[in-house]
Amino acid sequence: MNYRFSRRYPGIVSSLQSAELSCKKAPPARKSQKDQGNRAFLCAAIAVCLIFLSLLPSRANAFELQAPPVVLHDIPFELTITTPENLSAPDAQYTLRVTNEDREISLPDDRLVENLTVSNGLNHQIDLLNATGETVATTQIKALPGWFSLLPAILAIAFALIFRQVIAALFLGLWAGGTLLYGVTLSAPWFGLLDVVPVHVLGGLQDSINLAVVLFTLMIGGMVGIITKNGGTAGIVSMVVKFANTPQKGQAVTSGLGIAIFFDDYANTMIVGTTMRPVTDRLQISREKLAYLVDSTAATVATIALVTTWIGFVVALIGDSLMVMDGLERSAYSVFLNSIPFGFYQILALVFVFMIAFSGRDFGPMLVAERRARSEGLLSGTDSHPGETKAEADERLPNPDKPKRAMNAILPVAVLVIGTFIGLIITGRDGLEPGAALHEVIGNSDPFVAMMWASLIAVLVAGCLSIGQNILTLGETVDAWFVGARSMLLTVIILSMAWALADVNDLLGTGPYLTNLLGERVSVEILPCILFMIAAATAFATGSSWGVMGIIMPIALPLVWSLMVVNGLDQTDLHLIYLTVAAVIGGSVWGDHCSPISDTTILSSLASGCDHIDHVRTQIPYATLVGAFAVASSFFSPVLGLPWWVCIAISGLGLLAVLMLVGRRSDAHS
């Protein structure tokens, strides 16, 4: 019996099951006239029901209205209208009534109705009326005050920072968001609780991209398990510490590797974090510092490099915006390239990483963590939860009687890096003309397929090297892979819940609400600075830099262009356009860096073996300082007409001055 049917119609199911049971228990005797009469009556009833159902109009021949699960007061939303297949009067005029406001539409042309709004109240009705005033379709919508959409993110972030329990914090955020999706009713908290796992978490995992990230994460964990067990990582440590023999040099090498793997932020995070962890541990660099170096060189370099997996998405957003900007004749990729020098946050974040590395100075919670690692040898805090216990780490220790060859780790990692890049080229060529430029190929690629290909081959290479040199048996290799993959379980759980919370925020309209709240019209010269802060606030609340860019970029570029036209500014000088693109991207990355519910922040902390909340707590002061100088650059560049390189030079000197004045050496005790 169908589960949903049995839950919806328990009485009918119970009756049918009783009838079936009685039939099974009945002896094969001659049926009485009463039994035969009952059977005849049942058959007649079934026939009448079938005839009645056949006379009902099919869903394909009826109007349907599909609205979001909830809408926000004064925030535009969309309504989808499904029209009958046999609509007899094409292009007929209909009236869409939202509460007491009417809008004339033409069907079937206007099947997607945009910019509908409701002002107040919790429940509203939408009616579709034909030309004679007859209601042909209706639906109910739930409306909430706009600030309600911020509650799930606020609760999750506050709970995570206060109680240092990210899984419980994400669960609380999902529960709150699921409750709001049912509106303000007494039963909403109960149904919101029941929906956390089977609806929201499962829904996030049904996304093919999210599943690809999960598989890639598990494969990377398995590869690290093998190269640790076969002594490869121990060989790398012995080799690297010969020239990176101080904490400053170790941090510089880690930062350099983060820039070298520029083509994808996910691959960057997993490769740098897992590869450099044994090296930084040997040099007594705290896990918090490693996570900061990894996080601050992943998305930052991926957004300003010429060939990355971000290009296709960003250029597509710019291209869509250019289509509605009359009079601007530039290619989307050209606009993106010209915006790179104005990526103040990304450039300054990379500069500050090397300042921290070479100076040996830190401040705030990071200074405490670094001094703890140097003086006490504690790489993580005593109350931290790095995702792997000491017993699990001991499982991965290599056999002391076997050789520790660095090549057994270098070769699989090289295969992973090179294989990912080759995979990007292979998948990117599909659908493009022969001879397409490299940036077009990378922008058209499928990075997740490429990373899964490369990680699989890297695991096989690591296994073959281990077995071929008689360092590990086949069984030991499989066990080592499993131990490594198992260490990523916490990562997968947190990522799954973070994705689910991002989806809930999207359903609640958190991004559009923040954009509408903070996006009041201002002078066109300071608009890029305002957009930078709007993008940062939205990314911090939602934990998604890509989602924020997708919301703000199509609004920001046409707005800036129209203000340029209205104010009579030189339309051949696209300085403001380039600055706007860079501001949206940079603000998104800044907010993403500071957000505890960001997937890249989660990956950075767990790939580095760092407690997630410790990573967020120690990184926020550094990211905030860099972000403040980036905001100032976004403001003074258009207002004073300063060239981009002057802003970066002045901001860089400012960062250095703050570090020298406020920072203290980690190996000092005063």
Side-chain angles (χ1 to χ4, degrees):
M1 184 68 65
N2 183 273
Y3 175 72
R4 293 183 178 177
F5 184 83
S6 63
R7 289 291 299 271
R8 189 175 181 89
Y9 306 105
I12 298 176
V13 172
S14 178
S15 300
L16 291 175
Q17 289 176 340
S18 299
E20 181 182 6
L21 185 61
S22 63
C23 290
K24 289 182 178 179
K25 290 183 178 180
R30 186 175 57 187
K31 295 181 176 59
S32 64
Q33 292 182 353
K34 182 178 180 180
D35 293 336
Q36 293 176 353
N38 289 338
R39 170 169 288 191
F41 176 78
L42 180 61
C43 292
I46 292 174
V48 171
C49 290
L50 291 175
I51 294 172
F52 176 75
L53 291 174
S54 66
L55 296 177
L56 291 176
S58 67
R59 296 180 66 88
N61 293 323
F63 289 91
E64 289 186 5
L65 306 179
Q66 298 173 355
V70 295
V71 300
L72 303 178
H73 294 165
D74 301 318
I75 301 298
F77 66 93
E78 296 178 349
L79 179 76
T80 301
I81 302 175
T82 301
T83 58
E85 295 178 355
N86 59 346
L87 187 62
S88 58
D91 302 325
Q93 294 300 311
Y94 289 78
T95 301
L96 191 66
R97 178 170 297 165
V98 182
T99 310
N100 295 321
E101 296 185 9
D102 293 348
R103 179 187 294 191
E104 299 298 324
I105 61 174
S106 176
L107 292 177
D109 290 344
D110 298 329
R111 290 181 177 176
L112 179 64
V113 185
E114 301 177 316
N115 296 320
L116 296 172
T117 59
V118 294
S119 297
N120 46 51
L122 298 178
N123 297 292
H124 296 265
Q125 180 169 311
I126 302 179
D127 297 312
L128 180 65
L129 290 73
N130 60 18
T132 63
E134 177 187 3
T135 300
V136 296
T138 186
T139 188
Q140 300 289 329
I141 59 172
K142 297 178 286 290
L144 298 173
W147 63 271
F148 274 43
S149 67
L150 300 177
L151 288 178
I154 291 174
L155 288 174
I157 292 170
F159 193 93
L161 294 177
I162 295 172
F163 296 99
R164 299 169 54 85
Q165 294 292 331
V166 66
I167 292 181
L170 290 170
F171 181 86
L172 179 62
L174 284 172
W175 185 7
T179 299
L180 291 175
L181 289 175
Y182 281 98
V184 183
T185 63
L186 292 176
S187 61
W190 171 247
F191 289 111
L193 174 64
L194 296 181
D195 283 351
V196 167
V197 174
V199 175
H200 303 305
V201 176
L202 181 60
L205 287 174
Q206 288 176 337
D207 185 278
S208 60
I209 291 179
N210 293 347
L211 277 178
V213 173
V214 168
L215 292 175
F216 174 69
T217 301
L218 293 176
M219 294 298 287
I220 291 291
M223 183 202 74
V224 172
I226 295 175
I227 65 176
T228 302
K229 192 68 176 178
N230 69 14
T233 53
I236 285 183
V237 172
S238 300
M239 181 181 68
V240 171
V241 296
K242 291 179 181 179
F243 59 92
N245 52 7
T246 66
Q248 289 90 338
K249 292 180 181 179
Q251 294 176 48
V253 170
T254 303
S255 304
L257 183 59
I259 292 178
I261 305 176
F262 59 86
F263 49 83
D264 184 78
D265 55 335
Y266 284 159
N268 182 309
T269 297
M270 296 302 298
I271 294 171
V272 178
T274 56
T275 302
M276 293 304 297
R277 191 197 310 173
V279 177
T280 56
D281 286 355
R282 177 79 170 267
L283 297 172
Q284 291 187 313
I285 298 171
S286 67
R287 294 287 179 83
E288 292 93 329
K289 175 60 75 65
L290 174 60
Y292 162 69
L293 298 176
V294 168
D295 203 359
S296 294
T297 55
T300 48
V301 71
T303 56
I304 58 176
L306 299 180
V307 182
T308 74
T309 54
W310 286 60
I311 286 181
F313 177 70
V314 174
V315 171
L317 290 177
I318 297 172
D320 291 342
S321 302
L322 294 179
M323 292 178 63
V324 297
M325 296 163 63
D326 295 334
L328 180 54
E329 301 295 336
R330 288 290 180 92
S331 70
Y333 189 70
S334 172
V335 172
F336 170 73
L337 287 181
N338 283 280
S339 73
I340 290 177
F342 297 97
F344 297 126
Y345 178 77
Q346 301 95 301
I347 296 173
L348 292 174
L350 293 173
V351 169
F352 195 61
V353 161
F354 284 97
M355 287 183 184
I356 293 288
F358 285 115
S359 69
R361 291 175 176 266
D362 289 286
F363 59 86
M366 188 71 80
L367 178 61
V368 176
E370 283 290 271
R371 286 183 170 175
R372 181 201 67 224
R374 302 286 197 283
S375 60
E376 303 176 35
L378 296 176
L379 302 176
S380 299
T382 54
D383 57 346
S384 298
H385 305 278
E388 184 179 46
T389 64
K390 185 178 184 302
E392 291 172 334
D394 290 342
E395 280 188 86
R396 302 200 297 180
L397 291 177
N399 189 332
D401 299 327
K402 297 293 184 179
K404 311 296 187 297
R405 301 188 177 105
M407 186 56 63
N408 290 336
I410 293 175
L411 192 56
V413 172
V415 167
L416 179 63
V417 174
I418 298 172
T420 301
F421 194 75
I422 294 175
L424 292 175
I425 295 175
I426 293 174
T427 59
R429 285 178 175 174
D430 188 24
L432 293 181
E433 296 292 333
L438 182 60
H439 71 267
E440 295 177 326
V441 173
I442 299 297
N444 188 56
S445 66
D446 189 333
F448 305 101
V449 171
M451 288 188 294
M452 285 190 290
W453 286 349
S455 60
L456 173 61
I457 298 173
V459 167
L460 295 177
V461 170
C464 291
L465 288 172
S466 304
I467 298 171
Q469 298 174 66
N470 200 29
I471 298 176
L472 299 175
T473 65
L474 176 60
E476 290 173 334
T477 301
V478 174
D479 290 342
W481 181 91
F482 178 74
V483 169
R486 188 182 62 195
S487 69
M488 294 295 173
L489 179 60
L490 181 61
T491 307
V492 171
I493 293 174
I494 295 177
L495 277 176
S496 301
M497 298 183 75
W499 288 326
L501 185 57
D503 290 341
V504 169
N505 287 331
D506 184 55
L507 291 173
L508 289 173
T510 305
Y513 170 70
L514 281 172
T515 302
N516 185 75
L517 176 67
L518 303 174
E520 298 293 335
R521 289 207 168 194
V522 293
S523 171
V524 66
E525 285 79 10
I526 66 173
L527 189 56
C529 179
I530 300 298
L531 290 169
F532 184 93
M533 292 187 287
I534 292 174
T538 309
F540 181 81
T542 61
S544 172
S545 54
W546 281 41
V548 171
M549 288 187 287
I551 294 171
I552 298 180
M553 192 76 77
I555 300 173
L557 285 179
L559 174 60
V560 171
W561 179 250
S562 64
L563 290 178
M564 288 176 60
V565 174
V566 170
N567 294 329
L569 300 181
D570 183 5
Q571 297 177 29
T572 61
D573 182 6
L574 300 182
H575 171 264
L576 284 173
I577 296 296
Y578 304 146
L579 189 56
T580 300
V581 172
V584 174
I585 298 174
S588 301
V589 174
W590 181 25
D592 194 72
H593 273 173
C594 298
S595 177
I597 58 177
S598 161
D599 54 358
T600 50
T601 306
I602 293 168
L603 279 176
S604 298
S605 57
L606 298 178
S608 304
C610 175
D611 181 274
H612 179 57
I613 302 304
D614 285 345
H615 169 45
V616 174
R617 197 169 46 84
T618 52
Q619 177 166 268
I620 281 181
Y622 288 4
T624 302
L625 177 63
V626 174
F629 278 96
V631 169
S633 298
S634 298
F635 177 82
F636 288 112
S637 177
V639 171
L640 301 180
L642 297 178
W644 63 267
W645 58 270
V646 172
C647 293
I648 291 176
I650 294 175
S651 296
L653 291 174
L655 287 172
L656 182 59
V658 171
L659 181 60
M660 299 306 292
L661 290 173
V662 179
R664 298 290 183 269
R665 290 189 62 85
S666 305
D667 51 8
H669 299 283
S670 60

